[in-house]
Amino acid sequence: MKRILHSIHLLTLVATVLCCSTSLIAGKADGNLDIYWIDSEGGGSTLIVTPSQQSVLIDSGNPGGRDSGRIQKVAKEVAGLERINHYVTTHFHVDHFGGAAELSALIPIENVWDNGIPDKDPDGNPSAERWLQMSKPYREMKVGKRHVIAPGELIPISPGRSSKLSLHCLAAKQRFIDASATGSRSENPLCKDVTENPVDTSDNANSIVLLLEFGPFRFFDGGDLTWNMETKLVCPVNLVGRVDVYQVDHHGLQISNNPLLVQSLAPTITVMNNGPTKGTEKGTMASLKSAKSIQAMYQVHKNVRSDAENNTSDQFIANPAKACEGNYIKLSVSPDGASYTVTIPATGHSRTYQTAKK
C-alpha cells in the first residue's frame, strides 16, 4: 500500500511539474514577436522579445532606480526573460542611457550597442567634468561585450521557426545606410516640400535608427532623431520605406517628427513614449494627424498640461494620471507577421491591426 501511495504521489508531482512548466512557457511557445513600451516617464525604454525568447532592449530610461526597476519587472515577470541579449543606447542623453548600469545589476546584459562612449560632452559643452561623472556608471557597468554600431549593420537575433526576422541599423552618428542596400532607388515624390530647421548640434542628431522586420511586419525606432536628419532619412530616397508601427521620435517633441518623415513612412499606428508633461507637442500632433495612413495613435502618458487638446483618444493612453503606476503598452505580432495586436493590460484595451501591403 505504501508503494502504491508513493507511486501515486510521484505521478501527481510529475503532473504538477509538467502543468506548471507548460504554463511558464506558454508565452514562449505562441510564436509571436512581442514589443513592450515601458514607462520611463519621458525617457526611452522599448523591449523586443522574439519567438525564440531572445531580447533586445532599446534605451534604458533615467537613473535613480525607478526606470530600471520597471524594465526589470516587465522583462522578468511579464516577458519571462532571464537576461537581456542585446541592449542599444540610441544616443547619450541621460533619459536614454541613465538606467542601464542599474539594470545590469538586476538582470544580465550580454551585448551593448551604441555610438561609442564619447570622452567629451556629446552636446558640445566645453566642460567635460559633468559628462564624465554622469557617464561613469555606464562606462563601468559589467556586460558581456560592447559594440560600436554602424549603418547597415544587423543586430544578430534569431527568429526561431517563425517568420523572417531582422533588426537593421539604418543610421548612426548622422551617417546613413546606402540606398542601394535598401532596394530604394527612385526619388521620394514628397521631397519637393522640404523644410529645414536650424542645425541641431546636440547628440539627438546622432541617434541610432533601427528597423525591425518580422515577415511583412515593420517597426521603426529612431530614438531622438531630429528634423533635418529625419529629412535625410527619406530624401531624396526613402531609405526606410513603409512601416506598420512608428515609434514617435523624441517622445513627441516638435523639433522632431518632421511631417515629411511621418508621411513617407505611412505607418498604420504610432506609439509615443512620452511623459505627463513631456511630448505631445502641437507640431508633432499635427504631423501625426497629417498622415492619412494612421489608424490609431498610442501614448504611454496622457498630456496633463494646459494644452489638453494635444492628446490622443483616452482609449489609447496607458497612464491617464500624472501620478501613475507605470503602465506599459504591449504589441504582439502573429507568427506569420500578417497581423498584430496592441494591448494596454492595465486598462483592458485590445485592438488588432492588419499588416500593411508594402
Side-chain angles (χ1 to χ4, degrees):
M1 179 63 71
K2 287 183 178 180
R3 288 182 179 179
I4 293 172
L5 290 174
H6 181 66
S7 298
I8 292 173
H9 175 72
L10 285 176
L11 288 171
T12 303
L13 181 62
V14 169
T16 302
V17 169
L18 288 173
C19 180
C20 291
S21 298
T22 302
S23 65
L24 285 172
I25 66 170
K28 303 177 185 180
D30 61 10
N32 290 346
L33 171 78
D34 295 328
I35 304 174
Y36 301 86
W37 287 272
I38 302 166
D39 179 24
S40 47
E41 303 199 24
S45 311
T46 306
L47 177 65
I48 299 165
V49 183
T50 75
S52 60
Q53 204 69 358
Q54 289 193 342
S55 57
V56 182
L57 175 66
I58 306 171
D59 294 323
S60 57
N62 294 280
R66 180 197 66 198
D67 295 348
S68 56
R70 288 177 177 179
I71 294 169
Q72 181 213 25
K73 183 175 182 179
V74 172
K76 284 191 170 183
E77 297 180 17
V78 180
L81 300 176
E82 297 180 354
R83 65 191 67 251
I84 302 295
N85 299 110
H86 301 278
Y87 165 68
V88 183
T89 288
T90 58
H91 63 295
F92 286 103
H93 282 168
V94 72
D95 59 329
H96 287 256
F97 78 88
E102 296 164 348
L103 182 65
S104 70
L106 300 174
I107 185 170
I109 298 175
E110 293 183 335
N111 295 278
V112 172
W113 303 79
D114 55 34
N115 280 325
I117 307 172
D119 295 325
K120 298 180 180 179
D121 190 296
D123 289 339
N125 296 325
S127 174
E129 184 176 346
R130 181 175 179 274
W131 162 249
L132 292 174
Q133 186 65 28
M134 188 168 56
S135 61
K136 187 173 185 287
Y138 185 87
R139 293 173 186 272
E140 297 178 354
M141 67 179 179
K142 294 182 179 179
V143 297
K145 295 181 180 179
R146 292 181 184 258
H147 313 264
V148 176
I149 204 164
E153 193 161 4
L154 286 165
I155 293 177
I157 49 176
S158 170
R161 298 180 180 179
S162 300
S163 297
K164 181 180 178 182
L165 175 66
S166 66
L167 183 59
H168 208 166
C169 175
L170 301 184
K173 296 188 75 172
Q174 303 183 39
R175 295 182 295 120
F176 300 84
I177 190 172
D178 189 85
S180 62
T182 67
S184 302
R185 291 183 172 82
S186 58
E187 291 193 1
N188 183 350
L190 298 176
C191 294
K192 63 181 183 297
D193 298 321
V194 171
T195 302
E196 291 289 305
N197 273 1
V199 174
D200 178 13
T201 59
S202 78
D203 203 44
N204 290 320
N206 294 320
S207 287
I208 292 168
V209 177
L210 297 171
L211 179 67
L212 175 70
E213 296 182 274
F214 184 59
F217 172 85
R218 306 178 91 231
F219 163 61
F220 175 92
D221 185 338
D224 282 2
L225 200 68
T226 42
W227 191 281
N228 294 347
M229 292 299 111
E230 291 173 332
T231 298
K232 291 184 178 182
L233 197 59
V234 294
C235 287
V237 174
N238 185 347
L239 300 176
V240 186
R242 185 171 187 182
V243 304
D244 296 284
V245 182
Y246 170 58
Q247 178 171 305
V248 179
D249 282 347
H250 208 171
H251 320 289
L253 300 184
Q254 61 191 16
I255 60 172
S256 303
N257 301 292
N258 188 333
L260 182 56
L261 172 74
V262 179
Q263 292 174 24
S264 296
L265 269 53
T268 300
I269 70 164
T270 65
V271 182
M272 185 187 299
N273 206 338
N274 62 313
T277 59
K278 180 179 180 180
T280 65
E281 291 188 340
K282 181 178 180 180
T284 293
M285 301 305 284
S287 289
L288 299 181
K289 291 174 183 178
S290 72
K292 296 179 180 179
S293 63
I294 296 176
Q295 297 179 19
M297 302 185 300
Y298 287 85
Q299 293 172 201
V300 172
H301 269 274
K302 186 169 187 174
N303 164 24
V304 298
R305 301 185 306 261
S306 59
D307 61 324
E309 69 275 10
N310 290 316
N311 272 304
T312 188
S313 302
D314 285 350
Q315 63 178 316
F316 302 131
I317 298 175
N319 294 282
K322 184 174 183 179
C324 71
E325 297 180 357
N327 300 329
Y328 61 88
I329 297 172
K330 179 183 179 181
L331 183 150
S332 292
V333 189
S334 63
D336 60 1
S339 65
Y340 50 99
T341 300
V342 182
T343 58
I344 305 175
T347 68
H349 171 84
S350 179
R351 181 172 292 186
T352 298
Y353 303 87
Q354 300 303 308
T355 299
K357 293 182 179 180
K358 312 297 192 296

